[in-house]
Amino acid sequence: MAATLLERFGRRLRVAMVGGGIGSYIGETHAIALRTDGLWDLVAGAFSRTPATNAATGRSWLVPPDRTYADHRALIAGESARADPVDAVIVATRPSSHAEIACDLLEAGFHVICEKPLTDTAADARRVAAAVAGSGRRLMLTHCYSGYPMVRQAREMVARGDLGRITLVESRFAGGMYAANTPPGSWRVDGTEGGVTALIADLGTHALHLAEFVAGRRITTVAADLARVAPEHVAFDNAYLGLGFEGGARGRCWSTSQAAGATHGLAVTVYGDRGSVAWDHDTPETLWWRADGEPDRLLTKAGPAATPAAIAASRFTAGHPDGYALAFANLYRDFARALLADALGEDPVPYLVDLPDVADGVRTLAVVEAAVRSDEAGRPVSVDT
């Protein structure tokens, strides 16, 4: 049996985290995901701007005090001076700080794992993309829902032509997190960070990315209706977007925080002239396949109709759910394998093909930017990429 990439590399990849301290939902999610396959060691970080929280987080994750840094600049200086620096750094702060942190890390020679959205403006996203291109380093964007086996199955079915000519694309992230009340400090809607697009850039980019990821086509035009359903919100809390895709397909994307009672609200459906596929995060282990003129089929994760991409992303046999954490972990596994292949002089492309990257981050924010222009102009506009 051939030795694995990890065996040949001889050690786990070392990773640090900026942000994600105690009390951070996303920090804990990253910590779980990166440990799943034994490919990463979390050995350093600048976890919080609050010194006590920063120190406590380092202790809780067994990060040595000398590798628990005050901020990302101290982390760069400290790790760059070590004989055993980290290979990559996770950026798990709020979007308004992503551009500065990511650019500094890339310039210093570290690979970056960045929370979505890539930044809070399209201009900053393009700045990060330029930094990636100039650094020779890699950036993975954690649009984690692309790690689900049945999302990858849907993408593969579209790509191999099962649906025929793609005609329509529907996606949504319709949650109700701010429908009943808005807690103090709710930056996604209070305008303090990210401005009027804070919510649709943060959560809405998941729905936009999922639409492009599964359909395999880029969004080229937007006709937007943006609203503040809750009058106290400064940022838009509801967005209906009419979309045009490469190749002529039409689509709709709905993102909101006002869908009261919604459990999660993320879903995507892609239609072709021979059938459609539909995936809903509330039932993530299954995929509806509706071929024209045939009975509807409910495909299951790792089931008899599973595609190679879905099988590769499945950790357990059919009937044994994988879930959110393992979908997230699939991104970490793929990115680790790509970095290991790079280091060993092998082809990383097989591990990168389904990974969200800096280009995805630029495109989704360009769509958000176009949505604002469309809403202001009252007409469809082109997406500037």
Side-chain angles (χ1 to χ4, degrees):
M1 183 176 181
T4 66
L5 289 168
L6 188 66
E7 287 175 301
R8 285 180 281 132
F9 188 64
R11 63 169 175 85
R12 294 185 179 92
L13 292 165
R14 295 184 287 264
V15 67
M17 188 185 299
V18 178
I22 289 173
S24 165
Y25 167 83
I26 202 61
E28 184 66 23
T29 303
H30 278 271
I32 292 168
L34 69 88
R35 292 184 175 117
T36 299
D37 292 289
L39 298 172
W40 300 89
D41 279 332
L42 179 62
V43 299
F47 305 106
S48 174
R49 290 173 291 188
T50 304
T53 303
N54 190 32
T57 305
R59 291 194 302 270
S60 72
W61 286 339
L62 302 182
V63 173
D66 67 330
R67 298 185 87 168
T68 302
Y69 301 98
D71 55 34
H72 82 277
R73 296 183 188 85
L75 186 151
I76 289 171
E79 291 300 307
S80 297
R82 294 183 66 96
D84 59 345
V86 294
D87 301 287
V89 180
I90 303 158
V91 180
T93 57
R94 290 182 181 177
S96 59
S97 63
H98 288 183
E100 177 186 359
I101 296 171
C103 287
D104 288 350
L105 290 167
L106 291 162
E107 183 179 354
F110 297 103
H111 300 289
V112 172
I113 298 162
C114 188
E115 254 306 310
K116 48 81 337 250
L118 181 60
T119 62
D120 59 356
T121 69
D124 276 346
R126 294 183 184 99
R127 183 158 65 91
V128 176
V132 171
S135 69
R137 303 290 91 184
R138 298 195 182 279
L139 183 147
M140 179 182 77
L141 188 64
T142 56
H143 277 298
C144 54
Y145 303 103
S146 63
Y148 274 101
M150 300 316 285
V151 170
R152 291 188 175 186
Q153 166 126 1
R155 172 182 169 90
E156 192 167 16
M157 290 176 68
V158 170
R160 72 187 185 186
D162 292 10
L163 281 66
R165 180 177 62 86
I166 301 306
T167 55
L168 301 168
V169 182
E170 300 255 343
S171 69
R172 59 174 166 81
F173 201 154
M177 63 287 294
Y178 301 125
N181 59 75
T182 304
S186 301
W187 62 271
R188 291 186 178 95
V189 292
D190 68 10
T192 56
E193 293 188 44
V196 296
T197 62
L199 184 129
I200 59 173
D202 183 52
L203 300 181
T205 54
H206 272 312
L208 291 169
H209 176 258
L210 206 58
E212 288 197 342
F213 183 81
V214 176
R217 286 149 177 79
R218 307 307 177 208
I219 297 165
T220 57
T221 62
V222 181
D225 176 6
L226 308 181
R228 297 171 181 89
V229 176
E232 70 272 18
H233 290 168
V234 175
F236 297 116
D237 56 20
N238 193 84
Y240 291 117
L241 307 183
L243 306 174
F245 288 80
E246 293 171 332
R250 310 303 295 176
R252 294 185 300 187
C253 180
W254 176 31
S255 59
T256 189
S257 65
Q258 300 300 297
T263 303
H264 189 69
L266 182 69
V268 63
T269 302
V270 177
Y271 298 86
D273 59 9
R274 296 210 302 265
S276 65
V277 288
W279 180 83
D280 191 317
H281 188 262
D282 287 353
T283 54
E285 305 292 306
T286 59
L287 176 74
W288 280 107
W289 163 227
R290 297 179 171 99
D292 188 38
E294 299 180 13
D296 292 356
R297 298 176 65 190
L298 186 62
L299 308 182
T300 57
K301 182 218 63 167
T307 63
I311 292 170
S314 299
R315 306 307 187 102
F316 306 117
T317 56
H320 298 85
D322 285 13
Y324 174 77
L326 291 182
F328 212 116
N330 281 338
L331 271 62
Y332 268 98
R333 181 176 65 178
D334 291 350
F335 194 55
R337 288 174 173 173
L339 298 188
L340 293 170
D342 279 336
L344 294 168
E346 300 178 13
D347 183 10
V349 171
Y351 310 112
L352 296 170
V353 66
D354 288 325
L355 276 183
D357 61 13
V358 71
D360 294 287
V362 171
R363 280 197 309 275
T364 52
L365 287 167
V367 173
V368 171
E369 183 182 72
V372 174
R373 289 190 283 112
S374 170
D375 185 67
E376 291 173 346
R379 59 176 175 78
V381 302
S382 296
V383 177
D384 297 330
T385 56

